[in-house]
Amino acid sequence: MSHDLVVRSEAVHTPQGPKPGAVVVDGERITSVLPVDAPVHARREVVLPRDEVLIPGVVDTHVHVNEPGRTEWEGFATATAAAAAGGVTTIIDMPLNSVPPTTTPEALAVKRKAADGACSVDVGFWGGAVPQSLGHLAALHLAGVFGFKAFLSPSGVPEFEHLSAQQLTAAAAEIKDFDGLLIVHAEDPHVLAEASSATVVGRGYGSFAASRPDTAEVAAIENVIKAAHATGARVHILHLSSAAALPRIAEARSEGVRITVETCPHYLAFAEAEIPPGATQFKCCPPIRSAENRDLLWQGLQDGVIDIIASDHSPATAELKLAGGGDFERAWGGIAGLQVALPAVWTAAASRGIPLGSVLEWMSAGTSRLVGLADRGRIEQGARADLVAFAPNEPVRVAASALLHRNPVSAYDGARLIGAVRRTWLAGAEVFGPSPDQPPTPRGRLLERGSHR
């Protein structure tokens, strides 16, 4: 029998751990994982060098593409090209910063039209829960979004309003009725207002962090827990930066609250005291915190309190990111890190003795489970052939100007990392590497919740 593709590697990262293997692909799926020297007749055979391992494609569930409406910040073509170059084979796009925001089925149709034919990797979409959409979320759920994002504090853009604590509970009750997923930007607006009025934010990152303290996250997460407890809804905390919230999250989970949590590469790689004055490319909300806090986030991952890692890739133009000449009050927030998320996390993990398999659980398998994409995030028979040839020990010096997202601004500019993505296959076709099979029309698909099992 002739197969479409076989990839041989001395280290194939399977759910059972790394082992030598020959991964056989037919059509878009892995049909078998055989011993590395098994005789296989295939139209294409790839033998990875000894310094490379074969890993499943990363599934990044937190990406701001911003198209349409703010395509000058990012766009589907540029974001997904960066994703493929970073070993990311699936992204889920956030509902805000595009115009219109994805808060109605009609707006979702506009978003899908903008993405159609432009994507180098697979793309799914989150919906938005804003005051105006409450009572109408079921229609957007039926249209295929993977869940609903809500803010508990101002989002920064006027067309995506935040929910009060009471509205959050109403949204949770509505989403529970169809067993959806509510994902939350959890910072308390009252704590933020009080801290902001007591803080002069300037060029120092410490002043910016003080304006968005741990207590803002802790208070907001308590409100999310209360809403989930009252309604039975499934909830997810986005971009956790404060380890102070971990004990309460663990307690809520032990009480039966259906809550999951993510953190982001920048919270695991950087520390507040290391950020130079005026370096507004590091501005994000919630902020990067202390080195001690960073260590506790890593411990939270290892303890299982934090479930996944997602990039929160949130780029903007250089004019916005660097506004104010280094004044953190005036600069736009958001870190562009989609292409370097995997090596950034792996570099920090390896320095702590954490194996690559754990990183893949947090960035591929766990993220796939969060959004119900049961056909990806792992290398085994029947899974999608989303594969990455990764050189875990290769030094990488990041240059923002060489990254493929639209605007050459990134907090990772100049970072010295380890781990290079050398080839990426999407559904068995090479979309990044020395000889990509990319046709004139990019092969990424637009996903709907429940459509890929």
Side-chain angles (χ1 to χ4, degrees):
M1 178 180 178
S2 180
H3 299 277
D4 292 337
L5 170 68
V6 60
V7 183
R8 301 182 191 269
S9 171
E10 292 300 320
V12 177
H13 278 262
T14 72
Q16 295 73 41
K19 63 180 182 180
V23 177
V24 181
V25 176
D26 290 292
E28 299 181 349
R29 299 203 171 264
I30 298 168
T31 49
S32 56
V33 180
L34 303 174
V36 68
D37 56 356
V40 178
H41 184 266
R43 291 198 296 271
R44 293 175 294 157
E45 179 167 333
V46 177
V47 180
L48 300 190
R50 295 190 69 86
D51 68 332
E52 293 180 8
V53 300
L54 189 67
I55 64 174
V58 170
V59 175
D60 192 336
T61 54
H62 194 149
V63 178
H64 293 265
V65 177
N66 306 332
E67 184 179 5
R70 292 188 175 97
T71 310
E72 69 276 13
W73 295 14
E74 188 58 285
F76 286 103
T78 50
T80 59
V88 179
T89 50
T90 302
I91 67 170
I92 311 296
D93 171 62
M94 282 292 165
L96 74 157
N97 295 344
S98 58
V99 181
T102 315
T103 55
T104 65
E106 294 76 17
L108 175 62
V110 172
K111 177 74 71 81
R112 290 177 64 88
K113 182 177 180 181
D116 191 26
C119 299
S120 297
V121 303
D122 286 358
V123 178
F125 304 94
W126 295 109
V130 296
Q132 299 87 340
S133 66
L134 297 185
H136 307 284
L137 299 178
L140 191 51
H141 176 76
L142 289 172
V145 297
F146 284 81
F148 296 86
K149 180 174 186 177
F151 277 75
L152 293 184
S153 56
S155 71
V157 291
E159 65 275 1
F160 201 97
E161 295 181 28
H162 68 284
L163 302 181
S164 67
Q166 294 76 19
Q167 289 170 328
L168 178 75
T169 300
E174 186 177 351
I175 291 167
K176 170 61 169 64
D177 284 345
F178 49 77
D179 196 27
L181 175 62
L182 176 61
I183 65 174
V184 186
H185 179 126
E187 290 182 286
D188 186 275
H190 307 294
V191 175
L192 291 180
E194 183 177 349
S196 180
S197 66
T199 306
V200 177
V201 177
R203 291 177 52 83
Y205 201 90
S207 64
F208 168 62
S211 74
R212 305 187 86 97
D214 297 84
T215 49
E217 287 190 80
V218 172
I221 288 170
E222 183 61 41
N223 282 332
V224 177
I225 290 170
K226 288 178 179 177
H229 189 274
T231 63
R234 190 161 57 106
V235 297
H236 179 73
I237 303 298
L238 296 166
H239 47 50
L240 181 75
S241 83
S242 174
L246 292 175
R248 181 65 183 105
I249 292 167
E251 179 184 33
R253 195 172 288 167
S254 71
E255 295 169 351
V257 174
R258 297 198 295 167
I259 183 169
T260 52
V261 185
E262 74 183 45
T263 192
C264 302
H266 40 277
Y267 301 132
L268 300 169
F270 302 126
E272 173 192 320
E274 301 166 358
I275 299 172
T280 53
Q281 64 269 32
F282 289 88
K283 180 178 178 179
C284 56
C285 300
I288 295 163
R289 304 193 189 276
S290 69
E292 293 78 13
N293 180 85
R294 176 178 60 189
D295 290 342
L296 290 171
L297 291 177
W298 276 107
Q299 191 61 52
L301 282 161
Q302 293 175 275
D303 292 343
V305 183
I306 301 174
D307 302 273
I308 63 168
I309 302 170
S311 72
D312 191 9
H313 177 71
S314 188
T317 63
E319 181 182 13
L320 287 170
K321 280 299 299 172
L322 306 177
D327 185 339
F328 281 92
E329 182 73 25
R330 295 175 59 189
W332 186 263
I335 288 179
L338 175 61
Q339 188 171 333
V340 297
L342 174 60
V345 173
W346 166 235
T347 301
S351 72
R352 291 166 169 78
I354 297 171
L356 181 57
S358 295
V359 172
L360 298 174
E361 167 60 31
W362 296 323
M363 300 186 74
S364 296
T367 47
S368 298
R369 284 195 299 272
L370 175 73
V371 293
L373 288 172
D375 64 344
R376 61 198 72 198
R378 67 194 190 282
I379 298 177
E380 63 182 8
Q381 184 178 358
R384 276 248 311 186
D386 295 344
L387 305 169
V388 176
F390 185 62
N393 298 315
E394 181 177 334
V396 174
R397 179 69 180 269
V398 179
S401 60
L403 298 175
L404 299 183
H405 66 260
R406 185 176 297 277
N407 290 286
V409 179
S410 175
Y412 295 95
D413 188 31
R416 295 181 182 274
L417 307 176
I418 58 168
V421 172
R422 292 185 179 165
R423 304 174 83 156
T424 302
W425 290 268
L426 179 72
E430 190 171 336
V431 293
F432 174 78
S435 55
D437 302 326
Q438 186 88 317
T441 300
R443 14 177 343 109
R445 294 181 177 176
L446 305 186
L447 306 177
E448 295 182 9
R449 173 195 40 78
S451 62
H452 289 255
R453 298 291 182 183

